[in-house]
Amino acid sequence: RVMPEGRGAGTLSTVGTPTVKMGSGSGASRERWRTPEFYSALLGKMRCLASLAEWEQLSALCGAEWEGSEPHMRREMALISAQGAWHMGAWEDMRKYVYEVEGGDTG
């Protein structure tokens, strides 16, 4: 179960595990966070933001993590982020997410 620590703080705490920082650091330092646990927390936060209709935060989070994510994770992210893009009328983002879900590699 993933629980937010403060609205928009960019930090998640999972019950019984250490805190996972998202969107902090740059380049190689961020790569060390790209573990299965990181992706589980990231997708959990994205699902929470979608459930709360926090479309701008969802879009920002996806945008921040998209480039450094592996293709199979981009597909999972796209499935969630497409909902936000639709609600915001962000058609270019929507096109990118649909392309990814259909098997493309948008980079």
Side-chain angles (χ1 to χ4, degrees):
R1 185 171 157 192
V2 179
M3 302 171 67
E5 287 184 357
R7 189 176 181 116
T11 303
L12 290 181
S13 176
T14 55
V15 177
T17 60
T19 300
V20 177
K21 289 289 249 180
M22 289 192 212
S24 61
S26 63
S29 67
R30 288 180 69 173
E31 293 305 314
R32 71 173 186 247
W33 294 105
R34 303 220 181 261
T35 64
E37 293 80 15
F38 170 84
Y39 283 119
S40 178
L42 174 63
L43 293 174
K45 183 171 185 178
M46 292 177 74
R47 282 189 214 80
C48 287
L49 291 171
S51 293
L52 295 169
E54 294 287 352
W55 309 125
E56 292 83 10
Q57 288 183 40
L58 176 61
S59 178
L61 179 59
C62 185
E65 300 299 337
W66 187 264
E67 290 298 321
S69 296
E70 297 174 22
H72 72 280
M73 289 310 303
R74 284 186 192 163
R75 182 180 187 282
E76 297 299 319
M77 293 166 65
L79 290 168
I80 302 167
S81 298
Q83 184 179 8
W86 179 270
H87 283 281
M88 294 188 327
W91 307 121
E92 287 302 314
D93 287 344
M94 187 71 178
R95 184 175 292 121
K96 175 175 73 172
Y97 300 142
V98 169
Y99 182 77
E100 191 68 38
V101 169
E102 290 179 344
D105 183 15
T106 60

